[in-house]
Amino acid sequence: MNDIPKSILTILALLGLSLSSIGQTSQTNAIDQIDSIITAYMTTYKMVGVSIGIVKDGKIYLTKGYGTAEIGKVKPVDSLTNFLTCSITKLFTATAIMQLSEQGKMDISKKLIYYLPDFKMKDKRYQNITIEHLLTHTSGLYWDMGPLKIGLQWLPAPGTKFNATETYSNAAYDILGYLVQEISGKPYQEYIRDNILVKQTCHIVLLIIT
């Protein structure tokens, strides 16, 4: 999924927005264009299944599935197909953090221990981790939470340049999700629902099985 050009998302967004403001005939043409784009990229990038949804102001303008939900089986993807969101949740978490920053409730340049004074590791460099480091996968923390629970060291130092195979950290986003709860005073899922999934006026959703 990381190799899919950003242009597909941009084109889908533009076509999706047009669905809410044009006549039925033009909407049919827009949907045909979406079909053409999705089909072409599925072939090029060997995608197994894709599901798209376009929602604006609480109204669903388009939900459609392409391909199969399971490799080697004829199990068509449709609007009710369940997908694992996996790291897509990081987009929601980062958005929530930036919303809280815009509201003046947190400063991403501040150290993590400013907001979580009880956070400690054996390696004293943990004191240099900032919220921005967590957001940009440059905190130096491990891939997952396991090593953190037993206070182990990490690999790169905080602030080390991003490297997809060495600095990417799910643990960092677990901590950010916890911060969303602590600072907003709401459970993570409740904050995301109320401030991102419901509050935003338009959503273009693209889920892919590869």
Side-chain angles (χ1 to χ4, degrees):
M1 183 172 179
N2 292 335
D3 294 330
I4 299 172
K6 294 180 181 178
S7 59
I8 185 175
L9 298 178
T10 302
I11 294 170
L12 284 177
L14 292 173
L15 290 174
L17 289 172
S18 70
L19 287 175
S20 65
S21 59
I22 59 181
Q24 185 61 46
T25 301
S26 295
Q27 282 194 19
T28 300
N29 291 336
I31 293 172
D32 288 342
Q33 290 181 61
I34 290 174
D35 288 343
S36 177
I37 292 167
I38 294 293
T39 302
Y41 277 100
M42 285 185 71
T43 300
T44 301
Y45 293 95
K46 297 180 174 61
M47 299 176 192
V48 177
V50 174
S51 180
I52 65 173
I54 298 172
V55 181
K56 184 180 180 182
D57 297 328
K59 181 178 179 181
I60 299 173
Y61 285 92
L62 176 66
T63 59
K64 194 165 185 179
Y66 302 82
T68 182
E70 192 170 340
I71 296 175
K73 294 184 178 181
V74 180
K75 193 174 181 181
V77 172
D78 59 28
S79 62
L80 299 179
T81 300
N82 291 319
F83 286 78
L84 291 174
T85 56
C86 301
S87 285
I88 292 175
T89 56
K90 290 184 174 68
L91 301 177
F92 298 133
T93 302
T95 298
I97 290 293
M98 295 311 298
Q99 285 179 339
L100 294 169
S101 176
E102 289 174 352
Q103 294 165 16
K105 295 180 179 179
M106 68 183 307
D107 181 346
I108 65 171
S109 67
K110 285 188 177 295
K111 303 291 179 61
L112 171 61
I113 55 175
Y114 177 83
Y115 296 102
L116 294 180
D118 292 334
F119 180 81
K120 290 180 174 62
M121 296 182 70
K122 289 182 179 179
D123 189 324
K124 298 302 180 183
R125 293 180 298 175
Y126 77 86
Q127 298 173 4
N128 297 321
I129 299 174
T130 67
I131 303 303
E132 185 174 1
H133 289 151
L134 297 173
L135 284 168
T136 58
H137 294 287
T138 58
S139 66
L141 296 177
Y142 273 89
W143 175 275
D144 58 37
M145 291 295 287
L148 295 183
K149 292 178 180 178
I150 54 178
L152 295 179
Q153 295 184 18
W154 50 69
L155 299 176
T160 298
K161 185 177 180 181
F162 171 75
N163 181 304
T165 60
E166 295 180 7
T167 68
Y168 189 92
S169 175
N170 287 326
Y173 270 78
D174 288 338
I175 294 171
L176 288 172
Y178 180 71
L179 278 175
V180 170
Q181 294 191 149
E182 289 294 293
I183 294 173
S184 71
K186 291 184 175 183
Y188 175 85
Q189 62 271 26
E190 185 177 319
Y191 181 93
I192 298 300
R193 181 196 66 205
D194 294 345
N195 294 276
I196 298 177
L197 298 179
V198 173
K199 188 175 182 180
Q200 301 302 313
T201 59
C202 182
H203 307 288
I204 306 294
V205 180
L206 174 67
L207 296 174
I208 300 171
I209 300 173
T210 57

